[in-house]
Amino acid sequence: MGFLVPILIGVLFAAGVYCLMRRSIMKLVIGVMLISQGANLLVFASGGLLAGSPPLVPADGQEPVAPFGDPLPQAMVLTAIVISFGLTAFVLTLVHEAHEAVGDDDTDAFRSTDT
Amino acid sequence: MTLLLSLLLVFAGALAAPWMVRAGRGWLRNLLLVVPLGAFLLLLGGLPAVAAGGAVSLQLPWFPSLGVTLDLRMDGLSAVMGLLVTGIGALIVLYSFGYLGKHPQYGRFASFLLAFMGAMLGLVLADNLILLFIFWELTSITSYLLIGFLHEDPQSRKKALQALLVTGLGAVVMLAGFILLGEVAGTYRISELLGEGALLTASPLYPAILLLILAGAFTKSGQVPFHFWLPNAMVAPTPVSAYLHSATMVKAGVFLLARLHPALGGTEMWTGYLVVFGGLTLLTAVVLGLFQTDLKGILAYTTLGVLGLLTMLLGVGTELALKSMIVFLIGHALYKAALFMTAGAVDHETGTRELTHLRGLRFAMPLTATAALLAALSKSGFPPFFGFIGKEAVYEAAGNLGGLGWGVLAVAVGGNMLMMALALKAGIAPFWGRPSGQTPKPPHEGPFSLWFGPLLLGSIGLLLGLVPGLVGPTLVAPAVSAMTGAPSEVYVKLWHGFNLPLLLSLLTLAGGLVLFRLRHHFWRVAPRVRYFLRARGAEATYDLLFASTVALAEWQTRTLQSGRLYSYVRIVLLFTVVLVGGAILSTSLRLAPPPLPGPIEALPAGIVLTMIVGAVLAAVTDNRITALLGLGTVGFGMALLFTYYGAPDLAITQLLVETLTVVLFMFVIYRLPHLRHPSRVLIRLRDAGLAALFGLCMSYLALEAITLNLDTPISERLAAMSYPLAKGKNVVNVILVDFRALDTLGEITVLVAAALGVAALVTGGLRRRRRKRAE
């Protein structure tokens, strides 16, 4: 099971950077979103992957029963998910407005527009 | 301490100059004269000790960790240069009052001039190679500012840059030589290093050291083939030319060679290079000078000639040669600065420096004419001027050599003849004959500040000629002993009796006069010579190098900085793949053994495969809805994976965020056209290959990251503390709102900022669209 998630991470990054190399501005956004997902998954997976054991303290216990998933990467990824959402929302709006201003979705047309 | 004091005084003057000029146009500005005069007197105070055979020195730790100390030392050689720098500097400051005093940026000029003076003074007083280098560079920079002072003129800027580049590049090469020198000798202190001559010349690195240092000295002192920058630097205001390009900065190269003579001199290599290049420079400069009609141009070429002669004498290196070099150096500084100043005065008061228009100015400018006459006679080597003594000394030194000496003697006599002709051209021709009446301004005598300096220097030239004892034991002998490393018994006399030098002097005078009479013949072909030099000379090579460097930089910028995001991404990716992939292949990143594939469970495998399809689809499709579906698949797949791997909080957050993202995406994509593929298939395939390689690297790194079992004390501590300390049973939540609450605050701030950005963009866009519609 250990190698499926790494493959997925690689695919997400590959697809993401492929999009970054496109001239279409919408692809740029897609690339950023895919890379965000890949990065989140990478951080999450680096804590070790353990199926079905969330880091929760049982109702009658003082601390979670081992083995449990690493809580620290989870907390970090949670923050990261929210922040990538903020980023995505901002980039999407930016792209929309840029498209309105330039009238083209080809980044090659985005060279002399300080309007 | 007096040395440091004099340096500080000059640099403080440089800092205060703009204010002093602005605050009070009159007396406060004139107070600037105190700076060089004060430094001059301070150095003069140290002279008795130096003349007695000692030296004034000072050592202060500066960067102890780097072994750089502020070592200052004044011996005979430094004293000669230091007194010239400050003494002539004082006259130049006075001269600049009259010449540039009304310039709106005079304060800046005075500041640059004094800063240069400080740098030059530091250079000659430095007793540490690194310190000397720093001051050396400082003179290059300040001279750049001074040459380019009239910066509205593009020629001025260009020539200033040229001087900076030539001397600066030479200095960098020289630094390498200094470091080799210091390492071989085991010390960077010059006074210690000078005793290591035997060790240094025997070292296998000696040729490298010598060549590297010669590069610095030759560029600074304008030796062939680096001579072109000096005549070009004549675009500078005349006070600058008179100061930097006659008396001080250009002599720095010669000074350095003289300084290092005990350490590096005396070998065949030293003699060969210095004599050959010095002689070539002398002859090239004076021949080219014949074709000049610009007053300052002539002086620049004779300066080059003198620098060549001095270098040649250093190459010869006998005690007599070194003595003649010092005498010539002092004499030259006196008359050349004077001639530059009179040339500037002529330019200032008549509006032209073209010799073909200048005649008979002695009636209108008697004082300037007298000063020029005195200087020109000294320069021509008429007895009883100091210049005569210098020339005699040169002939005496060369005549005593035999073999090599005859060649040196021939070059010296020929060079001096031409220099004399040039001296007469620059110092006599403009003032004698019938007034031409062709000057742009009616000629008239300049103010006190313009004629006092040259007249004083010219008179000193005469005085020292008549009473050479004034400088003989006090300056020349200590300087020579500083260069030979042994006490020196040289005498400076006017009259040596009837001998070979006197005969040669007479020959030189006769030849010079003949050449002077013939000057109009040379001027007739001058334009053609200048054209040839522009096309074929050393400067053409410089221009070619300069242009190709700029072209290379432009090409590289165009290629690397295309302004297209995707090409930046490609370059970054390419390097990442090469570096990271290379590291992986060379096993340096293989931290843990690759894990064995365990049993594959159907559920996560299914999720992962679906997500892979979704990601690829989103990347390659040109359909907006397909892309949205692909992205959604990836996002919701992530939520499922989080659920499966025991992270319910992540799963919930991901679900929420993904839903919002899809809605937002939908909203935006609805207004955009379909996803086109403007790039060609081949490019897309290449990019796909690059992306795949990058993905491979990332997969491998992820595999390592997962397999790598670091200690997890933080997580276990956090989990253990969660309930007892924070009374929370969900460890992730406790971390977010309690243990790492500040991070969460930061996250919220980021979100707020993003929301503000979105709002600003949207409202701005709305306003624009409304305006458009209204139009």
Side-chain angles (χ1 to χ4, degrees):
Chain A
M1 203 41 238
F3 62 93
L4 267 179
V5 171
I7 288 175
L8 176 61
I9 292 170
V11 170
L12 285 173
F13 272 105
V17 296
Y18 175 78
C19 290
L20 286 192
M21 288 186 280
R22 304 275 58 80
R23 272 158 66 180
S24 160
I25 194 168
M26 208 51 214
K27 283 280 182 189
L28 213 66
V29 185
I30 295 175
V32 171
M33 290 166 78
L34 286 173
I35 290 177
S36 299
Q37 306 279 30
N40 289 348
L41 195 55
L42 178 60
V43 175
F44 177 70
S46 67
L49 293 172
L50 210 59
S53 36
L56 297 173
V57 181
D60 52 348
Q62 288 290 310
E63 53 184 272
V65 187
F68 54 89
D70 195 338
L72 194 61
Q74 291 194 15
M76 287 174 178
V77 171
L78 206 147
T79 309
I81 291 172
V82 177
I83 287 185
S84 27
F85 169 68
L87 180 73
T88 306
F90 184 70
V91 170
L92 270 172
T93 325
L94 194 62
V95 161
H96 178 248
E97 292 304 317
H99 180 259
E100 288 286 317
V102 179
D104 200 334
D105 67 332
D106 185 350
T107 48
D108 275 5
F110 281 61
R111 305 192 74 187
S112 55
T113 44
D114 290 329
T115 45
Chain B
M1 211 57 214
T2 51
L3 302 181
L4 189 64
L5 209 60
S6 63
L7 260 183
L8 289 179
L9 176 68
V10 176
F11 279 115
L15 285 179
W19 172 79
M20 285 167 77
V21 169
R22 208 175 327 124
R25 274 254 173 238
W27 63 273
L28 205 54
R29 186 193 71 177
N30 293 349
L31 212 59
L32 277 177
L33 269 177
V34 172
V35 171
L37 272 181
F40 181 78
L41 292 176
L42 280 171
L43 293 186
L44 210 57
L47 199 57
V50 173
V56 185
S57 61
L58 171 80
Q59 285 161 18
L60 285 178
W62 192 11
F63 296 122
S65 54
L66 291 175
V68 178
T69 43
L70 193 72
D71 292 336
L72 299 176
R73 187 165 184 275
M74 183 168 78
D75 60 3
L77 187 62
S78 327
V80 170
M81 286 299 289
L83 290 174
L84 287 178
V85 167
T86 49
I88 294 184
L91 295 177
I92 295 288
V93 169
L94 173 69
Y95 182 78
S96 73
F97 290 163
Y99 195 87
L100 271 176
K102 296 198 179 69
H103 194 281
Q105 286 161 341
Y106 178 72
R108 184 190 296 181
F109 178 81
S111 177
F112 291 163
L113 194 70
L114 290 177
F116 168 79
M117 192 184 295
M120 195 65 209
L121 194 57
L123 195 161
V124 301
L125 294 179
D127 192 27
N128 181 301
L129 285 177
I130 304 298
L131 189 65
L132 189 148
F133 175 78
I134 291 170
F135 282 121
W136 182 284
E137 287 292 59
L138 205 53
T139 61
S140 291
I141 293 166
T142 44
S143 80
Y144 167 73
L145 296 171
L146 285 168
I147 297 172
F149 179 69
L150 303 171
H151 54 83
E152 294 90 351
D153 177 11
Q155 275 299 315
S156 185
R157 296 198 298 268
K158 185 179 166 224
K159 304 302 182 191
L161 186 65
Q162 188 182 55
L164 179 70
L165 285 179
V166 173
T167 56
L169 284 177
V172 174
V173 175
M174 184 183 76
L175 179 62
F178 277 0
I179 291 171
L180 279 183
L181 179 62
E183 291 304 315
V184 171
T187 174
Y188 283 85
R189 178 166 301 157
I190 296 172
S191 48
E192 286 174 6
L193 207 128
L194 298 185
E196 304 289 343
L199 174 84
L200 284 164
T201 48
S203 158
L205 285 174
Y206 174 74
I209 294 175
L210 183 63
L211 286 180
L212 292 171
I213 291 181
L214 284 187
F218 280 7
T219 46
K220 196 79 163 179
S221 279
Q223 302 293 303
V224 170
F226 306 113
H227 58 282
F228 56 89
W229 74 262
L230 181 58
N232 284 339
M234 291 303 122
V235 295
T238 302
V240 175
S241 311
Y243 194 36
L244 274 65
H245 304 126
S246 68
T248 56
M249 189 183 80
V250 290
K251 293 222 173 78
V254 174
F255 166 79
L256 178 74
L257 293 178
R259 175 90 290 171
L260 295 178
H261 178 260
L264 298 175
T267 62
E268 278 181 15
M269 197 174 165
W270 168 279
T271 307
Y273 275 111
L274 264 61
V275 169
V276 168
F277 279 95
L280 270 179
T281 307
L282 170 59
L283 293 181
T284 313
V286 288
V287 170
L288 292 180
L290 280 181
F291 300 101
Q292 288 292 319
T293 56
D294 173 40
L295 210 45
K296 275 174 79 180
I298 293 172
L299 294 174
Y301 277 106
T302 57
T303 305
L304 275 179
V306 170
L307 293 172
L309 181 64
L310 296 178
T311 306
M312 194 165 77
L313 291 170
L314 267 174
V316 171
T318 60
E319 192 177 35
L320 274 176
L322 296 178
K323 176 194 119 185
S324 64
M325 186 217 126
I326 285 294
V327 173
F328 211 96
L329 188 147
I330 297 174
H332 173 254
L334 294 175
Y335 64 66
K336 187 54 64 63
L339 281 176
F340 262 116
M341 286 197 257
T342 57
V346 167
D347 187 11
H348 202 258
E349 305 308 335
T350 66
T352 181
R353 298 197 314 243
E354 268 305 303
L355 268 184
T356 41
H357 300 317
L358 293 170
R359 271 200 314 278
L361 292 176
R362 70 178 186 282
F363 300 110
M365 310 174 71
L367 291 166
T368 310
T370 313
L373 178 69
L374 288 173
L377 289 179
S378 183
K379 180 175 155 79
S380 312
F382 278 103
F385 286 88
F386 197 59
F388 172 74
I389 300 182
K391 199 186 299 176
E392 289 276 280
V394 173
Y395 293 162
E396 189 190 357
N400 280 0
L401 278 179
L404 170 76
W406 297 113
V408 173
L409 198 58
V411 172
V413 172
N416 270 328
M417 263 185 213
L418 288 161
M419 274 204 275
M420 174 185 161
L422 296 177
L424 295 178
K425 251 165 73 172
I428 310 272
F431 301 101
W432 299 85
R434 273 185 305 112
S436 68
Q438 289 178 338
T439 51
K441 286 195 243 173
H444 55 93
E445 186 63 83
F448 168 80
S449 55
L450 286 192
W451 58 256
F452 177 74
L455 199 58
L456 182 66
L457 289 176
S459 312
I460 293 177
L462 181 58
L463 178 72
L464 291 185
L466 292 169
V467 199
L470 280 178
V471 289
T474 51
L475 280 175
V476 179
V480 172
S481 69
M483 284 189 284
T484 54
S488 172
E489 297 263 329
V490 294
Y491 297 102
V492 186
K493 301 185 290 202
L494 182 62
W495 181 246
H496 285 74
F498 294 99
N499 53 12
L500 181 69
L502 185 68
L503 195 70
L504 290 173
S505 285
L506 293 177
L507 183 68
T508 311
L509 289 178
L513 278 173
V514 171
L515 282 168
F516 174 62
R517 299 290 299 181
L518 295 175
R519 62 187 183 277
H520 296 285
H521 296 279
F522 294 108
W523 288 350
R524 215 165 294 142
V525 290
R528 254 181 293 160
V529 173
R530 268 179 298 200
Y531 175 78
F532 175 78
L533 284 178
R534 242 198 311 277
R536 295 284 153 75
E539 196 184 357
T541 317
Y542 166 85
D543 284 337
L544 185 71
L545 279 175
F546 190 83
S548 33
T549 310
V550 171
L552 180 70
E554 277 176 356
W555 169 82
Q556 174 208 307
T557 311
R558 262 200 315 275
T559 315
L560 295 180
Q561 307 288 330
S562 60
R564 299 186 179 96
L565 180 67
Y566 47 85
S567 66
Y568 296 139
V569 175
R570 271 178 205 140
I571 292 169
V572 171
L573 276 187
L574 192 67
F575 276 89
T576 313
V577 165
V578 168
L579 294 177
V580 175
I584 292 173
L585 287 181
S586 67
T587 72
S588 64
L589 266 183
R590 200 164 293 162
L591 305 167
L596 293 170
I600 294 178
E601 287 164 68
L603 183 59
I607 300 170
V608 165
L609 284 179
T610 320
M611 284 174 76
I612 288 176
V613 172
V616 172
L617 212 58
V620 300
T621 183
D622 55 359
N623 186 307
R624 292 178 293 184
I625 305 300
T626 317
L628 181 60
L629 283 177
L631 279 176
T633 312
V634 172
F636 289 112
M638 286 282 279
L640 288 178
L641 272 185
F642 288 146
T643 319
Y644 183 79
Y645 286 114
D649 307 280
L650 296 195
I652 294 165
T653 317
Q654 179 76 21
L655 269 177
L656 268 174
V657 159
E658 205 49 45
T659 314
L660 277 173
T661 309
V662 167
V663 171
L664 200 61
F665 200 86
M666 199 51 198
F667 181 72
V668 172
I669 213 168
Y670 169 72
R671 294 157 180 270
L672 287 178
H674 267 292
L675 305 164
R676 294 182 297 130
H677 289 303
S679 44
R680 280 172 294 135
V681 179
L682 214 60
I683 291 179
R684 292 210 304 261
L685 279 177
R686 186 193 63 190
D687 291 346
L690 193 58
L693 282 175
F694 179 70
L696 219 62
C697 289
M698 291 309 292
S699 286
Y700 184 83
L701 291 180
L703 200 61
E704 290 288 356
I706 294 171
T707 325
L708 194 67
N709 279 318
L710 295 171
D711 284 340
T712 51
I714 307 173
S715 299
E716 274 167 15
R717 290 258 320 269
L718 289 176
M721 291 187 307
S722 174
Y723 187 68
L725 287 184
K727 302 292 173 227
K729 297 214 162 178
N730 183 331
V731 183
V732 177
N733 282 1
V734 169
I735 291 176
L736 281 173
V737 301
D738 202 313
F739 297 149
R740 312 286 312 163
L742 212 58
D743 289 1
T744 310
L745 187 68
E747 172 199 343
I748 293 168
T749 316
V750 170
L751 269 191
V752 170
L756 283 176
V758 169
L761 280 171
V762 170
T763 49
L766 281 178
R767 213 169 298 137
R768 201 177 48 236
R769 278 190 285 280
R770 210 171 296 143
R771 220 177 20 245
K772 238 182 222 166
R773 226 173 288 134
E775 280 164 13

